[in-house]
C-alpha cells in the first residue's frame, strides 16, 4: 500500500492526535494530489523549493508552520515566509531541496516517517526569476522541537490552513491592527493590503497577490503576503477542495505555467540557465504559444 495512503489511519491510532473530519478529508486530498506538469523540465540553477509543513493542532485543525526571516538578511528581510531555498548539487529532487533547507533553517528533521510527504505542487514564479516548487509534508510527531538558525530565522509561528480561504480572521487570532481587516483591499503603496495587481511582463496583464494579517503585526512582524500567500492559498484549495471566498485572480490574469514559459523565453537569467541545461527544444515549442498569449493579452 502507498505510504501516503495510510497517514490518516496511523494518526487515528495515535491517541494524542484527534483529527477533525474536515482535516482528515484535507489530508487525504493532499495525499492524492498530482501536479499537472510533473514531467516538465526547468533549469536547476534557477530552481528553488519551499516546505509547507502542516501539523494537527489541539482541536484537530491543520496548521502551517511559518517563519519570520531575520532582519539582517539581504533579501526579503523580516518577511513572513516558508522555509526553503535554491536547489544545490546533491539534491536529487525538489523534495530533497525543501527538506534540506527546512533542516538548515528551523531544524526540522529529514525524517520521512515522522515528517512524511503529502504532495508536491506545480511551481510558482518568484520576482527574482526563481521557479519555486512547494513541497507539502505532515509533521506527525508534535514533540519535535525547532532549532532556529538565527542568521536566517528570527521566529517561528503557525497559522490555520483553512483560514487562507476566507476573508475573516480565524477565531484563534485575538489581535488585529485597528482599521486593517484580516483580508481587505487597499492601495499597494500602504503597508497592509489584501491583494493588488502587479504588472508582469505579459503585455499589460496584471497578476493578483494577496496579504493576510497574522495577528502578530503589533509585535513588528510582517503580514503573510505575496508568493508565500499564493502558495498557501493553493495548498488550502487542494486540501479542502473549494475555492477561496475572495477573488483569487485579476481579470485576464494568465495561468501560472504560461507566465513561467514566458519568463524562460524572455528573462535573461532564466533563458540563459535553460540554454545551459539544454531545455531549448521545449522552449522552441513553447515560444509560439507564449507569443500568442502575449498578443492576446495586449488586445
Amino acid at each position: 500500500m502507498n505510504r501516503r495512503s495510510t497517514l490518516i489511519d496511523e494518526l487515528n491510532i495515535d491517541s494524542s492526535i484527534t483529527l477533525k473530519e474536515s482535516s482528515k478529508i484535507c489530508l487525504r486530498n493532499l495525499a492524492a494530489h498530482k501536479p499537472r506538469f510533473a514531467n516538465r523540465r526547468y533549469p536547476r540553477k534557477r530552481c528553488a523549493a519551499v516546505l509547507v509543513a502542516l501539523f494537527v493542532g489541539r482541536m484537530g485543525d491543520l496548521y502551517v508552520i511559518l517563519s519570520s526571516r531575520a532582519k539582517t538578511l539581504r533579501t526579503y528581510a523580516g518577511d513572513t515566509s516558508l522555509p526553503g531555498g535554491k536547489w544545490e548539487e546533491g539534491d536529487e529532487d525538489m523534495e530533497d531541496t525543501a527538506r534540506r533547507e527546512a533542516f538548515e533553517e528551523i531544524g526540522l528533521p529529514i525524517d520521512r516517517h515522522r515528517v512524511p510527504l503529502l504532495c508536491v505542487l506545480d511551481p510558482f514564479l518568484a520576482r527574482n526569476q526563481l521557479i519555486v516548487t512547494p513541497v507539502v509534508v505532515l509533521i506527525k510527531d508534535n514533540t519535535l522541537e525547532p532549532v532556529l538558525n538565527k542568521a536566517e530565522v528570527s521566529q517561528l509561528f503557525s497559522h490555520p490552513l483553512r483560514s487562507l480561504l476566507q476573508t475573516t480572521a480565524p477565531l484563534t487570532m485575538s489581535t488585529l491592527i485597528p482599521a486593517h481587516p484580516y483580508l481587505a483591499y487597499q492601495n499597494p503603496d500602504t503597508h497592509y493590503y489584501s491583494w493588488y495587481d502587479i504588472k508582469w511582463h505579459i503585455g499589460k496583464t496584471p497578476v493578483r497577490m494577496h496579504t493576510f494579517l497574522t495577528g502578530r503585526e503589533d509585535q513588528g512582524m510582517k503580514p503573510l503576503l505575496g508568493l508565500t500567500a499564493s502558495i498557501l492559498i493553493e495548498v488550502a484549495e487542494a486540501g479542502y477542495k473549494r475555492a477561496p471566498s475572495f477573488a483569487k485572480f485579476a481579470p485576464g490574469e494568465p495561468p501560472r505555467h504560461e507566465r513561467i514559459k514566458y519568463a524562460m523565453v524572455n528573462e535573461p537569467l532564466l533563458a540563459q540557465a535553460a540554454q545551459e541545461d539544454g531545455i531549448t527544444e521545449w522552449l522552441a515549442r513553447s515560444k509560439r504559444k507564449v507569443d500568442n498569449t502575449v498578443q492576446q493579452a495586449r488586445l
Side-chain angles (χ1 to χ4, degrees):
M1 182 179 294
N2 186 287
R3 177 68 181 162
R4 283 184 284 171
S5 66
T6 65
L7 290 177
I8 293 87
D9 294 334
E10 290 177 0
L11 283 170
N12 287 338
I13 293 172
D14 188 340
S15 59
S16 67
I17 299 177
T18 303
L19 276 169
K20 284 185 176 179
E21 188 61 31
S22 59
S23 297
K24 294 180 185 178
I25 294 172
C26 179
L27 291 175
R28 288 193 180 102
N29 288 336
L30 288 172
H33 179 80
K34 304 294 183 184
R36 290 180 58 198
F37 305 103
N39 297 322
R40 183 161 290 176
R41 289 183 61 197
Y42 302 101
R44 284 299 179 98
K45 289 183 179 179
R46 302 307 303 170
C47 282
V50 294
L51 196 75
V52 182
L54 305 179
F55 70 93
V56 183
R58 286 176 295 179
M59 302 303 293
D61 294 303
L62 291 172
Y63 288 79
V64 59
I65 291 179
L66 296 168
S67 63
S68 181
R69 288 171 58 85
K71 295 183 179 179
T72 54
L73 291 173
R74 290 184 301 173
T75 58
Y76 306 109
D79 279 8
T80 294
S81 65
L82 297 162
K86 294 181 66 175
W87 173 86
E88 292 183 1
E89 293 286 350
D91 294 342
E92 292 187 5
D93 52 26
M94 289 298 102
E95 181 186 352
D96 271 7
T97 301
R99 287 184 182 274
R100 174 182 52 75
E101 288 285 344
F103 176 72
E104 293 173 0
E105 291 181 20
I106 65 174
L108 186 67
I110 304 176
D111 185 329
R112 286 170 171 77
H113 177 72
R114 290 190 292 174
V115 189
L117 175 69
L118 287 173
C119 65
V120 176
L121 301 185
D122 283 313
F124 288 71
L125 180 63
R127 293 190 194 183
N128 57 0
Q129 296 184 41
L130 285 178
I131 298 174
V132 182
T133 298
V135 177
V136 187
V137 300
L138 175 66
I139 299 176
K140 290 170 54 183
D141 184 354
N142 282 5
T143 66
L144 292 175
E145 293 288 340
V147 180
L148 302 188
N149 179 348
K150 290 295 187 178
E152 298 187 43
V153 177
S154 63
Q155 191 171 347
L156 279 188
F157 62 97
S158 63
H159 200 78
L161 182 65
R162 181 188 288 274
S163 69
L164 276 303
L165 297 176
Q166 61 193 40
T167 60
T168 55
L171 296 176
T172 54
M173 187 183 295
S174 58
T175 305
L176 288 178
I177 300 297
H180 294 287
Y182 174 65
L183 183 65
Y185 178 76
Q186 295 182 18
N187 295 326
D189 56 349
T190 60
H191 185 65
Y192 300 105
Y193 49 87
S194 65
W195 48 262
Y196 63 94
D197 295 342
I198 298 177
K199 304 297 183 183
W200 285 67
H201 295 290
I202 301 185
K204 296 182 178 180
T205 305
V207 173
R208 179 159 291 161
M209 307 298 279
H210 304 74
T211 293
F212 299 87
L213 296 185
T214 65
R216 293 167 174 80
E217 285 73 21
D218 61 338
Q219 304 169 25
M221 297 177 67
K222 292 185 180 181
L224 172 59
L225 76 164
L227 180 64
T228 301
S230 297
I231 288 171
L232 293 180
I233 291 169
E234 185 154 314
V235 173
E237 278 188 295
Y240 294 106
K241 291 295 183 184
R242 70 175 181 85
S245 58
F246 49 84
K248 181 181 176 183
F249 300 109
E253 180 176 333
R256 193 164 75 239
H257 66 278
E258 294 292 342
R259 299 203 306 273
I260 291 177
K261 285 196 295 184
Y262 181 87
M264 287 179 64
V265 172
N266 293 276
E267 296 290 354
L269 288 176
L270 273 169
Q272 180 179 347
Q275 291 280 347
E276 292 173 354
D277 276 15
I279 313 180
T280 53
E281 182 179 352
W282 176 77
L283 287 176
R285 293 198 306 269
S286 301
K287 192 174 189 310
R288 184 180 297 105
K289 293 182 180 179
V290 171
D291 290 341
N292 289 339
T293 301
V294 174
Q295 184 61 33
Q296 292 173 7
R298 288 172 175 167
L299 296 178

